[in-house]
Amino acid sequence: MFPRLFQIGSFSQSTYGVLVALAFLVALSVIARLARRAGLNSDAVVNLGIVCGLSAIVGAKIMMFLVDIPYYVRNPGEIFSMASLQAGGVFYGGLIAALIAAAVYMRRHQLPALPTADVFAPGIALGHGIGRLGCFGAGCCWGLPTRLPWGVTFTNPLAQQLVGVPLGIELHPTQLYESVAEFLIFGILYWRIRRQHAPGAIISLYLILYSTARFLVEFVRYHDQPNPFGGPLNTSQWISLALAALGAAYFVRNVGRASTPAAGLQTRSR
């Protein structure tokens, strides 16, 4: 709705860029606080967050190209177009790339994998929720037409020029659906991590909750690429099912296991 926050002469600042930067800083702040509470090396964890953030940007772009290979094969110049550079990409591509980078970094710096992943989960949820507000401002990731009373209508020609969102049509506010879901998930995870839990319980709960929310939102989100396998589910929904199954398998397997009380985790960082 407001793709450009302000413009001074030839310089302009996108709303999306500001909100994504804010999301990253807020997420890092939450992660650092939870890392200190868990007795982890907060400096190493923050550095890991920066590495994951950069990896996520690259991974999201790569996944964006992969899910629509035929289009970019026909239009190779679009890979480096302004629209592609400004697009946020596909979140799951960023998540997968960040997980790979995190595995390498944690092994190299001897960070415990599951406790570290647990402190990241609430920060990821909160940051993603803020980032989706940026998507709403830019007009990207829009929904299908709807007659529901909360449908939104984009009217800014710049938004259509940059991301292709249709103007003058009531659409599902899929960006807000996902943002609200992420804020709720953050609340659940932040409450849960402060209580007794087995290592890995928080990240697995995040995978279950977010994957479920994303799977449902995808039914009312617009996609211009065909679904894989010719079925009713798109690429993000297949990834959602896989990640939800992975999270559920770990969560069920480890539920009820003894864990260190949250109060005992309040130790000073190294």
Side-chain angles (χ1 to χ4, degrees):
M1 286 199 170
F2 302 101
R4 181 178 291 161
L5 192 61
F6 64 84
Q7 182 168 358
I8 302 176
S10 60
F11 174 79
S12 64
Q13 177 59 60
S14 68
T15 305
Y16 178 82
V18 170
L19 284 173
V20 167
L22 176 64
F24 184 66
L25 293 176
V26 170
L28 273 185
S29 175
V30 171
I31 291 167
R33 179 184 301 178
L34 292 176
R36 288 191 294 269
R37 180 183 176 86
L40 300 172
N41 185 329
S42 59
D43 289 338
V45 170
V46 169
N47 290 336
L48 171 59
I50 295 172
V51 170
C52 289
L54 296 175
S55 302
I57 293 173
V58 176
K61 297 287 188 184
I62 292 175
M63 180 67 79
M64 181 180 72
F65 299 140
L66 291 179
V67 298
D68 204 6
I69 288 178
Y71 173 79
Y72 289 104
V73 169
R74 295 192 304 269
N75 304 278
E78 287 297 310
I79 295 176
F80 301 103
S81 69
M82 187 59 66
S84 295
L85 293 176
Q86 291 184 341
V90 178
F91 173 74
Y92 274 138
L95 179 62
I96 293 171
L99 289 175
I100 294 173
V104 174
Y105 184 95
M106 287 188 292
R107 182 173 182 178
R108 180 173 297 178
H109 293 270
Q110 298 181 333
L111 285 170
L114 292 178
T116 302
D118 283 341
V119 302
F120 264 80
I124 293 172
L126 181 58
H128 194 191
I130 298 172
R132 281 303 184 198
L133 295 179
C135 292
F136 185 66
C140 62
C141 311
W142 66 89
L144 297 173
T146 181
R147 294 183 179 179
L148 293 172
W150 55 82
V152 297
T153 303
F154 290 88
T155 59
N156 194 317
L158 180 60
Q160 185 181 54
Q161 177 185 342
L162 292 175
V163 300
V165 60
L167 305 181
I169 302 173
E170 290 192 352
L171 306 172
H172 278 283
T174 46
Q175 311 95 328
L176 299 184
Y177 293 165
E178 197 166 338
S179 182
V180 170
E182 285 284 34
F183 290 144
L184 290 174
I185 292 170
F186 164 73
I188 293 170
L189 297 181
Y190 195 78
W191 169 81
R192 187 68 185 86
I193 198 171
R194 294 163 65 88
R195 284 156 177 75
Q196 182 176 338
H197 62 272
I202 309 304
I203 188 64
S204 60
L205 183 58
Y206 167 75
L207 292 177
I208 296 169
L209 294 176
Y210 174 70
S211 296
T212 300
R214 180 63 179 266
F215 181 85
L216 296 175
V217 169
E218 288 293 317
F219 282 115
V220 293
R221 181 173 167 179
Y222 172 78
H223 295 277
D224 56 3
Q225 69 270 13
N227 292 341
F229 315 119
L233 304 183
N234 60 46
T235 303
S236 292
Q237 287 176 309
W238 283 111
I239 297 175
S240 294
L241 290 175
L243 292 180
L246 178 64
Y250 182 86
F251 192 85
V252 171
R253 180 181 177 184
N254 290 274
V255 67
R257 286 191 175 187
S259 59
T260 305
L265 296 178
Q266 299 179 18
T267 59
R268 295 182 60 185
S269 60
R270 297 190 298 273

